[in-house]
Structures are given as C-alpha cells and as structure tokens.
Amino acid sequence: MDIIKNKKQITEDILIEENNSNITETTNPIEKVRERNNFYTVTACVNKYLSYLYEKNIDVLYNYLDPIYIEQNNITKNNILQKTGQLDVYKMFTAKEMHKQKLSDNITKYYAYGIVKEVLEDGDAEEEEFYITIKVDNKNETFSVFPNTYIN
C-alpha cells in the first residue's frame, strides 16, 4: 500500500510542478527523437506496460496510466480493461518513429509509433501498428502512459 501512496504523491508533485511552471503542452515545440537512448527507454516503458496489460494486473495498470488520461476517460479499476483494451497473447513493441515534447525541466512526453507482435518461439508473427504516449519524469524516475495516442 505504501508504494501506491508514494506513486500518488509523486503524481501530485508532478501536477503541481507542471501547474507552477505555467507550461502548457501547446506552447512547447514537438521534436523528432534522434537520441538512441530515448528510443530504448521509451520502448522499455511500453513493453513493461504491455506485460501488465497481458497479465491483466489491474492495480499496476491503473497506477501506470497518467492521471490526466484517467480523468479524461473516466477510468476506474472496474472498467480499465474495457477502456484500455486487452491482450490475449504477450506482445512486444518496437518503435519505428518517436517525437518528444518537453513539458518542464524534468518531464518530457514521448509520442511513439511502432509495431507490436506476438512473441513466438519460431519468430513468425503478425505485426500490428501501435500508437502510445509515454510521459517520463526524469527527476523521480517514473513514467505514465496515455494508451492509443499519437501525433503526426
């Protein structure tokens, strides 16, 4: 229970920091991600999210979703799987293109486009396009998820 409490406190601190910095997403430029490390970091975040989605771990999924996304989509622990989708097989994400938007000194939003495919022993699997947004807080070393969102 303490982990969830700490996560909520961190989220509140982030929201306060974003509000106090008077930075809005519409005023910050969106740039193409060129740094390889950012690609790997965001891909790891997406794959962690997908693994919990596959496991249907509702408590962890709820904590990974961004509070703004939860509020805008009226998500509860009771409807989270209906609102975010479900995975019947374990899938891995590979980023093809990514953009970033700096929200504050510590927080960056990454808009990722790529493919997901089922993990099979023979390596032969159908690929699907996949869009997701990940908000990374470098100060607190946390991230949150906006499923199925992307910008061009």
Side-chain angles (χ1 to χ4, degrees):
M1 199 66 161
D2 289 330
I3 293 172
I4 294 171
K5 191 179 210 180
N6 291 337
K7 168 85 167 94
K8 286 182 180 177
Q9 183 59 46
I10 289 170
T11 301
E12 289 169 6
D13 292 344
I14 292 168
L15 292 174
I16 290 167
E17 180 180 333
E18 286 178 5
N19 290 335
N20 287 340
S21 65
N22 293 324
I23 296 175
T24 59
E25 295 179 36
T26 56
T27 61
N28 295 321
I30 297 172
E31 305 167 350
K32 191 167 188 166
V33 173
R34 302 192 190 288
E35 303 86 10
R36 192 177 306 180
N37 288 344
N38 290 346
F39 257 79
Y40 292 132
T41 299
V42 172
T43 297
C45 293
V46 174
N47 283 321
K48 185 176 273 197
Y49 168 74
L50 289 175
S51 71
Y52 288 118
L53 191 60
Y54 169 68
E55 294 169 4
K56 296 174 180 50
N57 190 328
I58 292 170
D59 290 328
V60 174
L61 280 172
Y62 189 83
N63 288 323
Y64 274 136
L65 291 181
D66 193 86
I68 294 168
Y69 185 84
I70 289 171
E71 184 179 327
Q72 288 176 345
N73 293 281
N74 300 317
I75 294 176
T76 65
K77 289 184 180 181
N78 293 329
N79 70 9
I80 191 169
L81 294 176
Q82 290 80 23
K83 297 274 187 167
T84 60
Q86 298 182 44
L87 291 180
D88 295 327
V89 293
Y90 182 67
K91 295 186 177 186
M92 294 286 290
F93 175 76
T94 302
K96 296 290 185 188
E97 188 172 331
M98 197 177 297
H99 294 81
K100 67 181 178 180
Q101 183 178 37
K102 195 168 180 96
L103 301 181
S104 70
D105 289 341
N106 300 317
I107 300 171
T108 304
K109 222 176 197 184
Y110 292 89
Y111 304 93
Y113 159 74
I115 57 159
V116 290
K117 66 180 181 178
E118 186 177 350
V119 178
L120 298 173
E121 288 181 25
D122 64 7
D124 192 23
E126 227 178 273
E127 296 180 351
E128 300 173 47
E129 287 186 331
F130 190 76
Y131 303 89
I132 194 164
T133 300
I134 302 290
K135 185 165 47 172
V136 176
D137 178 350
N138 290 315
K139 179 180 176 185
N140 294 304
E141 298 180 350
T142 60
F143 72 92
S144 60
V145 178
F146 293 80
N148 304 318
T149 57
Y150 183 72
I151 54 154
N152 289 321

